[in-house]
Amino acid sequence: MSFVEVVSCGIASVQDLGRRGYRALGVPVSGAMDRLAAAYANALVGNDPREAVIEVIGSGIELMFFSSAIVAVTGAKCVVELDGAEVREWQPIRARAGSRLRVSPPMHGFVTYIAVSGGIDVEPVLGSRATYARAGFGGFEGRYLRSGDRLPLKPIDIDSTWRRVSGMIAPDYVRLARAPLGVVELRVTKGVNSDLFEDIDSMLRATYTVSPQSDRMGYRLEGPKLESATKLGRLPSLPVDRGYVQVPPSGLPIVLMSDSQTTGGYAVALHVLPPDVDKLAQCPPGTQVRFVEVDYEEAEKAVRRYLEDLEKPELVSVEEESEYAYYVS
Amino acid sequence: MVIYERPKVRRSGGYVIHVELCNEISLDCNKLVHALYYKVLETVKEGSVRGIEEVVPAYSSLSIFYDPRQASWRRIAELIESLWSEARATDVSKILKPRRFRIPVVYGGEYGPDLPSVAEHAKLDPDEVVRIHTSRTYVCYMLGFTPGFVYLGDVDERIATPRLPSPRTRVAPGSVGIAGRQTGIYGVESPGGWRLIGRTPLKTFDPRRDPPTPIRPGDLVEFYRIEPEEFEKLRGVYLGEVIQ
């Protein structure tokens, strides 16, 4: 069996596009924080977009290959080296048996994905290979990765796959959206309890800062407090999802992320659109964000486009793509 | 009447329809949520509506997650309205076919470290608290928050106790707790603020099985007292294997 070994890593886990169909039993969806970057990593190595990849949050990783493989690194902007030579992100790379891949902590953005041809072949749990570390299941032994872990790979015909993906790259708009600059705008609709907040419009005027107390479950935001939230308290728990903006009595919003619990008792003020949750995932603590409201039709349109991209990530050939766009960040 | 005249249907995020039937925790309202939930699932199974990906029920509301490429929110909203009217007009116990689970629990001691504080709050003897806790059939209002956490109600008012002032960082799976008029079972190890009165040796949640828990929203649960010696004998046995 072929595998890849974790030589060293920061906060890394095996993720895919999530675990569906069990939320009524309390099982969270989990999966990649930046779903589109994970789907593109897979596409670049010839995998189905739903295959399992390695996710690294706000830190770096070094991997060693025990057989030849095609690899792609996507997501945050990092320095990537294969056997000491710098290689580019968002493009397929060919590793040999014994190759070492080193990915630096992000210089821009926050979450990095590494896909390997075939996909990480851990046992699916409830239909998904995503790690849900809080309950200790999914992914590799239900936990974050450590040095010495050997991740099994699905067997694949490398040469024919290489002929298909070599010279391809992810399009500009996908790469650039993952290197946020300035105040990041997140498109939202009103959330399911928005009518409980009489001063909700103030949330749309505010600028928030991503708090260091953020993780795979939720990103806390610091900024002006929402006055009406202090009087609300708890509601009967209601179903919640990735992208829901809860406002607890502290008045400071929490945006639920991929490890979102299935239900919650805090009122939900806004809902960040799925592609913009990807964008938020790439915002390290300290990043300034603001909410921009769109209507439901525009939200549906954005979701349709996003689901198409996730299912069929479109690659372009390197020659067609501008070099400028890549280096602008 | 706590149940709204018409369900409140809200759109969210371009792929969610949230349906609220009331805004408090009430058994009647929760039954209606379950009736609607199972009716929607049935309709999805029949294939008469496309694009509904997941339906998640909670205390007083449910959410429908849909694919806007396949489904029209208006069509789903209309479906909800008509299923709601049907559910409202029928005896919901005919729609719900609840199963009954009997769950063994060791009360007190290391298994239920908060039994003394619950007894103190109730001004009752701990054995009396256990007797009251085991003398009712509870309804599963919902599962949620953490995998397989079962929310049950209603607890006898005499033993209803508020949550701990600050939550524990680790609660063992199988722990049985009280929070207000709710009692519940932890499916996996997690932080938790419920008053722990006991623990079942049975595994109520196992992600290696599909479904991972046999308890569904609307099912019925009873507890019975066992001694610590029996705990070891039953430890790790899957709930679905001993009770059907």
Coordinates of all heavy atoms in Angstrom, one line a residue, chain A residues 188-226:
Chain A
V188 N -24.2 38.4 2.9 CA -25.1 37.8 3.9 C -26.5 38.0 3.4 O -26.8 38.9 2.7 CB -25.0 38.3 5.3 CG1 -23.6 38.1 5.9 CG2 -25.2 39.8 5.3
T189 N -27.4 37.1 3.9 CA -28.8 37.4 3.9 C -29.2 37.5 5.4 O -28.4 37.3 6.3 CB -29.7 36.2 3.4 OG1 -29.6 35.1 4.2 CG2 -29.3 35.9 2.0
K190 N -30.4 38.0 5.7 CA -30.9 38.0 7.0 C -30.9 36.6 7.5 O -31.1 35.6 6.8 CB -32.3 38.6 7.1 CG -32.3 40.1 6.8 CD -32.2 40.9 8.1 CE -31.8 42.4 7.8 NZ -32.8 43.1 7.0
G191 N -30.7 36.4 8.8 CA -30.7 35.0 9.4 C -32.1 34.7 9.9 O -33.0 35.6 9.9
V192 N -32.3 33.5 10.4 CA -33.7 33.0 10.7 C -34.3 33.7 11.9 O -35.5 33.7 12.1 CB -33.7 31.5 10.9 CG1 -33.3 30.8 9.6 CG2 -32.8 31.0 12.0
N193 N -33.5 34.4 12.8 CA -34.1 35.1 13.9 C -33.8 36.6 13.8 O -33.9 37.3 14.8 CB -33.5 34.6 15.2 CG -33.5 33.2 15.4 OD1 -32.5 32.5 15.5 ND2 -34.8 32.6 15.5
S194 N -33.6 37.1 12.6 CA -33.2 38.5 12.4 C -34.2 39.5 13.0 O -33.9 40.5 13.4 CB -32.9 38.8 10.9 OG -34.0 38.5 10.2
D195 N -35.5 39.0 12.9 CA -36.6 40.0 13.4 C -36.5 40.2 14.9 O -37.2 41.0 15.5 CB -38.0 39.5 12.9 CG -38.3 38.1 13.2 OD1 -37.3 37.4 13.8 OD2 -39.4 37.6 13.0
L196 N -35.7 39.4 15.6 CA -35.6 39.6 17.1 C -34.6 40.7 17.4 O -34.6 41.2 18.6 CB -35.1 38.3 17.8 CG -36.0 37.1 17.6 CD1 -35.4 35.9 18.3 CD2 -37.4 37.3 18.2
F197 N -33.9 41.2 16.4 CA -32.9 42.2 16.7 C -33.4 43.5 16.0 O -33.3 43.7 14.8 CB -31.5 41.9 16.1 CG -30.9 40.6 16.6 CD1 -31.1 39.4 15.8 CD2 -30.2 40.5 17.7 CE1 -30.5 38.2 16.3 CE2 -29.7 39.3 18.2 CZ -29.8 38.2 17.5
E198 N -33.8 44.5 16.9 CA -34.4 45.7 16.2 C -33.2 46.6 15.7 O -33.4 47.4 14.8 CB -35.2 46.5 17.2 CG -34.5 47.1 18.4 CD -34.8 46.4 19.7 OE1 -35.4 45.3 19.7 OE2 -34.5 47.0 20.8
D199 N -32.0 46.4 16.2 CA -30.9 47.2 15.7 C -30.0 46.4 14.7 O -28.8 46.7 14.6 CB -30.1 47.7 16.9 CG -29.7 46.6 17.9 OD1 -30.2 45.5 17.7 OD2 -28.9 46.9 18.8
I200 N -30.6 45.4 14.0 CA -29.7 44.6 13.2 C -29.0 45.3 12.1 O -27.9 45.0 11.7 CB -30.6 43.4 12.6 CG1 -29.7 42.4 11.9 CG2 -31.6 44.0 11.6 CD1 -30.3 41.1 11.7
D201 N -29.6 46.5 11.6 CA -28.9 47.2 10.6 C -27.6 47.7 11.0 O -26.7 47.9 10.2 CB -29.8 48.4 10.2 CG -31.0 47.9 9.3 OD1 -31.0 46.8 8.9 OD2 -31.9 48.7 9.1
S202 N -27.4 47.9 12.3 CA -26.1 48.4 12.8 C -25.0 47.3 12.5 O -23.8 47.7 12.3 CB -26.1 48.7 14.3 OG -26.2 47.5 15.1
M203 N -25.4 46.0 12.4 CA -24.4 45.0 12.1 C -23.9 45.2 10.6 O -22.8 44.8 10.3 CB -25.0 43.6 12.2 CG -25.2 43.2 13.6 SD -25.8 41.4 13.7 CE -24.3 40.5 13.5
L204 N -24.7 45.8 9.8 CA -24.4 45.9 8.4 C -23.5 47.2 8.2 O -22.9 47.4 7.1 CB -25.6 46.0 7.5 CG -26.5 44.7 7.6 CD1 -27.9 44.9 7.0 CD2 -25.8 43.5 6.9
R205 N -23.4 48.0 9.2 CA -22.6 49.2 9.1 C -21.2 49.0 9.8 O -20.3 49.7 9.6 CB -23.3 50.4 9.7 CG -24.5 50.9 8.9 CD -25.0 52.2 9.4 NE -25.5 52.1 10.8 CZ -26.7 51.8 11.2 NH1 -27.7 51.7 10.3 NH2 -27.1 51.7 12.5
A206 N -21.2 48.0 10.7 CA -20.0 47.8 11.5 C -18.8 47.1 10.8 O -19.0 46.5 9.8 CB -20.4 46.9 12.7
T207 N -17.6 47.4 11.3 CA -16.5 46.6 10.8 C -16.0 45.8 12.0 O -15.9 46.3 13.2 CB -15.3 47.6 10.4 OG1 -15.8 48.4 9.4 CG2 -14.1 46.8 9.9
Y208 N -15.9 44.5 11.8 CA -15.5 43.6 12.8 C -14.0 43.1 12.6 O -13.5 43.1 11.5 CB -16.4 42.4 12.9 CG -17.8 42.7 13.2 CD1 -18.8 42.9 12.3 CD2 -18.2 42.8 14.6 CE1 -20.1 43.2 12.6 CE2 -19.5 43.2 14.9 CZ -20.5 43.3 13.9 OH -21.8 43.6 14.3
T209 N -13.5 42.5 13.7 CA -12.1 42.0 13.6 C -12.2 40.5 14.0 O -12.8 40.2 15.0 CB -11.1 42.7 14.5 OG1 -11.2 44.1 14.2 CG2 -9.7 42.2 14.3
V210 N -11.6 39.6 13.2 CA -11.6 38.2 13.5 C -10.8 38.0 14.8 O -9.6 38.4 14.9 CB -11.0 37.3 12.4 CG1 -11.0 35.8 12.8 CG2 -11.8 37.5 11.1
S211 N -11.4 37.3 15.8 CA -10.8 37.1 17.1 C -9.8 35.9 17.1 O -10.0 35.0 16.3 CB -11.9 36.9 18.2 OG -11.4 36.1 19.2
P212 N -8.8 36.0 17.9 CA -7.9 34.8 18.0 C -8.6 33.6 18.6 O -8.2 32.5 18.4 CB -6.8 35.3 19.0 CG -6.9 36.7 19.2 CD -8.3 37.1 18.8
Q213 N -9.8 33.9 19.3 CA -10.6 32.8 19.8 C -11.5 32.2 18.8 O -12.7 32.2 18.9 CB -11.4 33.2 21.0 CG -10.8 32.7 22.3 CD -10.8 33.8 23.4 OE1 -11.7 34.7 23.3 NE2 -9.9 33.8 24.3
S214 N -10.9 31.7 17.7 CA -11.6 31.2 16.6 C -11.1 29.8 16.3 O -9.9 29.6 16.4 CB -11.5 32.1 15.3 OG -12.1 33.3 15.6
D215 N -11.9 28.9 15.8 CA -11.5 27.6 15.5 C -12.4 27.0 14.4 O -13.2 27.7 13.8 CB -11.4 26.7 16.7 CG -12.7 26.5 17.4 OD1 -13.8 26.8 16.8 OD2 -12.8 26.2 18.6
R216 N -12.2 25.7 14.2 CA -13.0 25.0 13.1 C -14.5 25.1 13.4 O -15.3 24.9 12.5 CB -12.6 23.6 12.9 CG -11.3 23.4 12.2 CD -11.0 21.9 11.8 NE -12.2 21.3 11.4 CZ -12.6 21.2 10.1 NH1 -11.9 21.8 9.2 NH2 -13.7 20.6 9.8
M217 N -14.9 25.3 14.7 CA -16.3 25.3 15.0 C -16.9 26.7 14.7 O -18.0 26.8 14.2 CB -16.5 25.0 16.5 CG -17.8 24.6 16.9 SD -17.7 24.0 18.6 CE -19.5 23.9 19.0
G218 N -16.2 27.8 15.0 CA -16.7 29.1 14.8 C -15.6 30.2 14.8 O -14.6 30.0 15.5
Y219 N -15.9 31.3 14.1 CA -15.0 32.4 14.2 C -15.7 33.5 15.0 O -16.8 33.9 14.6 CB -14.7 33.0 12.7 CG -13.6 32.2 12.0 CD1 -13.2 31.0 12.3 CD2 -12.9 32.9 10.9 CE1 -12.2 30.3 11.6 CE2 -11.9 32.2 10.2 CZ -11.5 30.9 10.6 OH -10.6 30.3 9.9
R220 N -15.1 33.9 16.1 CA -15.7 35.0 16.9 C -15.2 36.3 16.3 O -14.1 36.4 15.8 CB -15.2 34.9 18.3 CG -15.8 33.7 19.1 CD -15.2 33.5 20.4 NE -15.7 32.4 21.0 CZ -16.8 32.3 21.8 NH1 -17.4 33.5 22.0 NH2 -17.2 31.2 22.3
L221 N -16.1 37.3 16.3 CA -15.8 38.6 15.8 C -15.8 39.6 16.9 O -16.7 39.5 17.8 CB -16.8 39.0 14.7 CG -16.9 38.0 13.5 CD1 -17.9 38.5 12.5 CD2 -15.6 37.8 12.8
E222 N -14.8 40.5 16.9 CA -14.8 41.6 17.9 C -15.2 42.9 17.2 O -14.9 43.1 16.0 CB -13.4 41.7 18.4 CG -13.0 40.6 19.4 CD -11.5 40.4 19.5 OE1 -10.7 41.2 18.9 OE2 -11.1 39.5 20.3
G223 N -15.9 43.8 17.9 CA -16.3 45.0 17.3 C -17.5 45.6 18.1 O -17.6 45.2 19.3
P224 N -18.3 46.4 17.5 CA -19.4 47.0 18.3 C -20.4 45.9 18.7 O -20.6 45.0 18.0 CB -20.0 48.0 17.3 CG -19.6 47.6 16.0 CD -18.2 46.9 16.1
K225 N -20.9 46.1 20.0 CA -21.8 45.1 20.5 C -23.2 45.4 20.0 O -23.6 46.5 19.9 CB -21.8 45.1 22.0 CG -20.6 44.5 22.6 CD -20.6 44.5 24.1 CE -19.3 43.9 24.6 NZ -18.9 44.2 25.9
L226 N -24.0 44.3 19.7 CA -25.3 44.5 19.3 C -26.2 44.6 20.5 O -26.3 43.6 21.3 CB -25.8 43.3 18.4 CG -27.1 43.4 17.6 CD1 -27.0 44.5 16.6 CD2 -27.4 42.1 16.9

